[in-house]
Amino acid sequence: MSDIIHLLPDAVANQIAAGEVIQRPSSVVKELVENAIDAEATLVQIYITEAGRQCIQVTDDGKGMSPTDARLAFERHATSKIRQATDLFALSTMGFRGEALPSIAAVAQVELRTRLRGQEMGTALTIEGGRFKSQQATACPVGANFAVRNLFYNIPARRRFLKSNQTEFANILSEFERIALAHPSVSFRLYNNESLTLDLPAASFRRRIAGIFGKRIESSLIPVSVKTELATITGFVGTPESARRKGAHQYFFVNERFMRHPYFARAISSAFERFIPEGTQPNFFLRIEVAPERIDVNIHPTKTEIKFQDEQVLWPIFQAAVREALGSVNAVPALDFESGVSPDIPAYDPSAQPAAPPRLHLDPTYNPFQQTSGNRTLSPAEREAWQSAYAAAFEGLNNPTQPDEPKLWADDMPDATPATTETPLQLKGNETYLQLAGRYIVTVAEEGLMLIDQHRAHVRILYERYRRQLTSGHGVRQGLLFPQDLQLSPSQTEALRQLLPQLNAVGFDLHPAESGFTLNALPAGTEGLDPLKLIEEVVDEVLADNNPDSQAAERTAHLIARTLARKAAIPIGVELSQEEMAATATQLFSSETPTFTPDGEPVLTILAPGQLERLLS
């Protein structure tokens, strides 16, 4: 039998390895910018064309490379960062594997121009698909200039799996934000299709956060600072009021390297317990300085997963540091045991008479079934039947003959299932509506006793209204007395630019401005809501969505309408009049899907007469 095992050609091996390191255009940006930082650059400029499909160019003013180093840098496992295995536990650089440049060169057409400081001439080098093409002397500035063109040109399947330009550029912005936050002492400029998207001069960590996410976030930042033998933790957490359901800004940086760490994130969230609503997440931007030998960054090629030697010990340190920061600005109530003012506690007086217990006053003549304003008039036979039933019930309460039965709550009702759209629902004529627990509208339908969740019903009504407005482009607007300026993060800004036509169609009046956007009007029905938070939530919903781009337009319209409907709907606990309850029921049953919300939650349920008989038997 002939031998069947053989070595793969270098070009094929490099393409396979590139699948782990270079997953999309944002991976190229990350690797090239981190190399520039390792080269001690003070200014890094990124130029993106067609979301990175056509070209990604990164220039820096770092140390540069000699002609020999420039050629050797594209060989696999060639690196200047480490020399032996023990160096992995004393890393002070972003890169160390020696895989980024050969991986990029294996799946793209790469041109490098670089000049070493102190030399008169630089070198220009060209590689295509992992194959060396040319190298020659050239005049160029000190530093490095990488141009990566036609990414995945030799792997068509990978190129076809790239998302839309909007999605890919949003991923580039996310990577850019992480690197820019991790290195506030470095200046960055980001260009998209020859237009300057973001200009970040060197600044403090706080100013860098404000430069990326807008000046409005700066007022909600609470400083965090703690120094222990294991680690030094500095940075900022957001106030409880700035917590968000989606799109919360949560960043950890270890020795100036971005990382994801769900375990430590839970420690931060636990410090906010009982101070933020359930389901929301706090903002935090925390920098951790720890001895390199106590962490392992060699877990994954992307180097965003880091293993800590002292994970269990660091958890309470994170928690205590955040709680101390919250307490310093009175975000968390605290007891001051050193205060000289003591509470006024009255002394015990044995001769004092205790206060009389509260008395319960009952009106035995009160009859809730008597005619009141807003109710329909009862016929004489109906009034007599109700009065007899009420009198018998009242007599039973005054003269109980058996122990009280346990109450049967709604959760215990058998077979009380949500109505479906398979059977058309009909209300009886001249309905009377009751409101239960500030949440449910109770009325009578042909099928039995109907309970409608007023908030969910209004969400369904508004959702279909906003969908119609998005289709027609004729949303009703409510102008603002004073226009408001809106500043978002780079990724949110880019997403909002794409959403402008749909948002303006539904009733917003948003226009790009020099420093962000200007808001002149809101959709009718959203009065009283924070307009800036409302727009942020819409953008975050769209950014968090992971549906295929082939359904992008329809899915985006759904997300916009759903978010606006949730925010503008009648909240739970609002008391409604008979007219308001009647209007809600009428509009609900005029909608296309009256029985479910856009999220699939049931809007109403019906108790059939047979079910009621079983409950009362």
Side-chain angles (χ1 to χ4, degrees):
M1 183 176 179
S2 61
D3 298 333
I4 60 174
I5 297 177
H6 58 275
L7 291 174
L8 289 173
D10 288 344
V12 177
N14 287 344
Q15 288 183 5
I16 295 172
E20 288 188 340
V21 181
I22 308 302
Q23 301 172 358
R24 56 191 344 130
S26 58
S27 305
V28 176
V29 174
K30 173 184 180 295
E31 299 295 346
L32 294 182
V33 173
E34 286 185 347
N35 280 346
I37 292 170
D38 287 341
E40 301 177 5
T42 60
L43 172 63
V44 181
Q45 302 183 83
I46 305 106
Y47 301 84
I48 306 297
T49 306
E50 293 297 321
R53 298 170 189 265
Q54 183 176 333
C55 182
I56 299 171
Q57 185 174 2
V58 177
T59 67
D60 66 72
D61 60 352
K63 296 183 294 186
M65 289 182 280
S66 67
T68 303
D69 285 345
R71 177 68 182 86
L72 192 59
F74 289 93
E75 297 295 331
R76 185 161 298 279
H77 307 306
T79 179
S80 63
K81 317 298 174 60
I82 62 173
R83 294 186 178 276
Q84 51 191 1
T86 55
D87 293 340
L88 290 172
F89 302 100
L91 288 172
S92 59
T93 57
M94 297 297 101
F96 56 87
R97 287 173 172 260
E99 292 180 328
L101 290 182
S103 295
I104 295 171
V107 294
Q109 298 167 336
V110 180
E111 180 181 350
L112 167 63
R113 292 175 179 268
T114 181
R115 178 162 71 93
L116 200 61
R117 186 174 289 114
Q119 294 187 355
E120 294 183 358
M121 295 292 292
T123 185
L125 183 145
T126 303
I127 295 180
E128 294 184 4
R131 294 183 175 87
F132 175 78
K133 291 295 183 180
S134 65
Q135 183 174 8
Q136 58 189 3
T138 187
C140 61
V142 173
N145 183 339
F146 284 91
V148 179
R149 296 183 175 89
N150 299 322
L151 185 64
F152 301 132
Y153 81 99
N154 54 348
I155 311 179
R158 290 288 300 275
R159 191 174 177 89
R160 284 196 300 269
F161 275 104
L162 292 178
K163 303 293 186 179
S164 66
N165 284 357
Q166 174 188 345
T167 302
E168 294 300 341
F169 187 64
N171 289 324
I172 290 173
L173 285 170
S174 296
E175 288 290 354
F176 176 78
E177 290 168 5
R178 296 166 185 167
I179 299 173
L181 284 170
H183 305 276
S185 60
V186 179
S187 299
F188 293 93
R189 292 188 191 132
L190 177 65
Y191 296 83
N192 182 32
N193 295 329
E194 300 183 358
S195 175
L196 180 61
T197 300
L198 203 60
D199 186 359
L200 298 173
S204 65
F205 189 40
R206 187 186 193 109
R207 295 301 302 164
R208 177 55 57 87
I209 296 171
I212 294 177
F213 300 108
K215 296 180 181 178
R216 196 160 62 97
I217 197 174
E218 192 172 6
S219 60
S220 66
L221 297 178
I222 303 173
V224 175
S225 180
V226 62
K227 187 174 183 179
T228 68
E229 293 182 358
L230 293 178
T232 299
I233 302 171
T234 58
F236 303 92
V237 294
T239 58
E241 294 77 17
S242 66
R244 308 165 73 172
R245 290 193 176 274
K246 285 191 177 181
H249 305 305
Q250 299 187 337
Y251 294 88
F252 284 117
F253 304 99
V254 179
N255 298 347
E256 298 188 328
R257 183 194 303 275
F258 170 78
M259 75 162 182
R260 294 185 178 92
H261 208 295
Y263 183 68
F264 290 159
R266 287 198 298 271
I268 307 301
S269 298
S270 67
F272 279 86
E273 281 184 358
R274 302 180 184 177
F275 300 103
I276 60 176
E278 186 178 353
T280 60
Q281 294 293 327
N283 296 325
F284 59 78
F285 308 85
L286 296 177
R287 299 160 62 92
I288 305 111
E289 295 294 332
V290 63
E293 63 269 16
R294 305 192 76 86
I295 60 175
D296 185 3
V297 300
N298 190 28
I299 303 297
H300 192 272
T302 60
K303 300 182 286 290
T304 57
E305 300 176 18
I306 297 178
K307 203 168 189 64
F308 283 76
Q309 183 177 332
D310 307 294
E311 256 184 12
Q312 304 293 330
V313 180
L314 286 173
W315 165 286
I317 295 176
F318 274 107
Q319 190 180 59
V322 173
R323 284 181 174 172
E324 181 181 357
L326 293 172
S328 67
V329 294
N330 294 325
V332 178
L335 295 176
D336 186 1
F337 295 99
E338 298 181 358
S339 173
V341 180
S342 58
D344 184 15
I345 302 175
Y348 172 67
D349 183 2
S351 62
Q353 295 296 322
R359 300 179 64 85
L360 181 64
H361 300 282
L362 297 176
D363 182 5
T365 64
Y366 172 71
N367 188 341
F369 302 105
Q370 290 180 348
Q371 181 182 350
T372 58
S373 61
N375 292 337
R376 69 181 179 90
T377 303
L378 298 175
S379 66
E382 288 176 322
R383 183 178 295 107
E384 182 178 356
W386 277 117
Q387 287 174 343
S388 300
Y390 177 72
F394 190 79
E395 179 65 20
L397 290 175
N398 289 333
N399 301 291
T401 57
Q402 58 185 4
D404 293 340
E405 294 290 337
K407 290 185 178 180
L408 186 64
W409 300 103
D411 292 341
D412 301 320
M413 293 183 178
D415 303 324
T417 57
T420 65
T421 55
E422 296 177 358
T423 304
L425 299 172
Q426 294 183 356
L427 297 176
K428 288 181 175 291
N430 301 320
E431 289 82 7
T432 297
Y433 298 92
L434 300 175
Q435 191 176 27
L436 175 64
R439 177 172 182 175
Y440 302 103
I441 299 172
V442 185
T443 189
V444 178
E446 293 287 350
E447 295 82 2
L449 186 66
M450 180 183 294
L451 285 82
I452 303 173
D453 187 307
Q454 68 183 38
H455 173 74
R456 294 180 180 178
H458 203 207
V459 168
R460 166 52 65 180
I461 294 167
L462 293 178
Y463 172 79
E464 295 195 5
R465 181 185 304 170
Y466 290 134
R467 286 301 302 265
R468 290 193 296 269
Q469 292 174 353
L470 282 165
T471 302
S472 65
H474 299 298
V476 182
R477 293 177 176 175
Q478 178 66 43
L480 299 177
L481 185 60
F482 300 103
Q484 296 196 26
D485 293 329
L486 180 63
Q487 284 187 319
L488 302 172
S489 69
S491 55
Q492 290 175 320
T493 298
E494 184 62 25
L496 184 53
R497 290 186 192 278
Q498 303 294 329
L499 296 175
L500 278 182
Q502 290 169 298
L503 291 178
N504 287 335
V506 84
F508 287 96
D509 186 6
L510 265 170
H511 299 282
E514 184 176 351
S515 59
F517 298 87
T518 300
L519 177 64
N520 298 309
L522 289 171
T526 59
E527 299 86 353
L529 300 177
D530 186 333
L532 305 184
K533 283 189 175 181
L534 181 61
I535 293 173
E536 282 185 342
E537 289 197 21
V538 172
V539 173
D540 290 338
E541 284 279 355
V542 174
L543 287 175
D545 188 58
N546 293 318
N547 275 267
D549 288 315
S550 60
Q551 306 171 1
E554 176 68 18
R555 182 67 181 175
T556 299
H558 163 74
L559 294 173
I560 292 174
R562 185 184 69 178
T563 305
L564 292 177
R566 283 174 176 174
K567 300 298 293 184
I570 303 169
I572 296 172
V574 172
E575 185 176 348
L576 302 180
S577 65
Q578 279 285 317
E579 292 76 14
E580 290 170 330
M581 288 188 285
T584 300
T586 301
Q587 294 177 47
L588 175 64
F589 287 102
S590 299
S591 61
E592 295 180 2
T593 312
T595 52
F596 291 97
T597 67
D599 294 317
E601 297 176 323
V603 173
L604 56 89
T605 188
I606 295 177
L607 292 174
Q611 295 172 255
L612 295 174
E613 290 175 5
R614 289 197 299 272
L615 291 174
L616 297 174
S617 61

